[in-house]
Amino acid sequence: MAEEESGFSVVDKRRVSQEESTTGETSSSAAQEDAEPSPESGGHLPHSLGELPHLTVRDRLLMSIDILHQGAWLAMGLVADPSTGEIERNLDDAKIAIDAVAYLASQVEPSLDEPTRREVKRVLSDLQVNFVRQKQL
């Protein structure tokens, strides 16, 4: 009985040369180059993947506001969960998400330009109004 080979290998097809793809050979070094960043490389991604943009704390706060904003809509049962397609309602979770949006908005507001400030206030206001409506049902 033949012994099966265990494990698997990853081949990044973006790095397979035309010659290798026609012969069906793969280079383990090409696969290893695209592996997770190593401590020796300083934790940086390979240069060929391009540099990731630098995110300021302001950018991260705005991203967090957006994530919590989406979570609040899901928790209020006004939007179906994209992973399940189901609508679930949990107003306690919605309140926590909305309160977190309000806090983060208050922290980031001084550093925002006027159009972005208005948008953040509109997002928070929409969440609060819809929460009150859902609470009354």
Side-chain angles (χ1 to χ4, degrees), residues 11-17 34 48-49:
V11 177
D12 185 354
K13 300 233 181 209
R14 297 172 296 182
R15 294 198 179 232
V16 176
S17 70
D34 285 335
S48 63
L49 295 177

Side-chain angles (χ1 to χ4, degrees), residues 1-131:
M1 182 173 191
E3 191 174 315
E4 291 185 26
E5 186 177 316
S6 64
F8 61 92
S9 64
V10 177
V11 177
D12 185 354
K13 300 233 181 209
R14 297 172 296 182
R15 294 198 179 232
V16 176
S17 70
Q18 183 65 26
E19 181 180 320
E20 289 174 334
S21 64
T22 58
T23 63
E25 296 175 9
T26 59
S27 168
S28 61
S29 64
Q32 289 174 350
E33 287 177 12
D34 285 335
E36 301 238 351
S38 66
E40 301 87 45
S41 68
H44 296 291
L45 293 172
H47 181 67
S48 63
L49 295 177
E51 293 295 320
L52 295 175
H54 173 71
L55 295 175
T56 64
V57 171
R58 177 185 162 273
D59 295 333
R60 293 173 194 274
L61 287 172
L62 290 172
M63 289 169 62
S64 297
I65 287 171
D66 186 51
I67 291 168
L68 290 164
H69 168 244
Q70 293 171 23
W73 283 106
L74 290 168
M76 285 189 282
L78 297 174
V79 176
D81 185 334
S83 64
T84 64
E86 296 179 13
I87 293 179
E88 297 178 22
R89 190 168 178 213
N90 184 334
L91 293 181
D92 292 334
D93 282 355
K95 183 179 181 338
I96 292 168
I98 294 168
D99 290 346
V101 168
Y103 177 75
L104 292 176
S106 72
Q107 297 302 302
V108 76
E109 187 176 1
S111 67
L112 300 177
D113 58 16
E114 192 54 38
T116 307
R117 183 178 296 124
R118 279 194 307 268
E119 179 65 17
V120 169
K121 284 184 177 184
R122 184 196 61 76
V123 163
L124 179 58
S125 177
D126 286 349
L127 287 173
Q128 290 169 332
V129 167
N130 281 285
F131 180 79

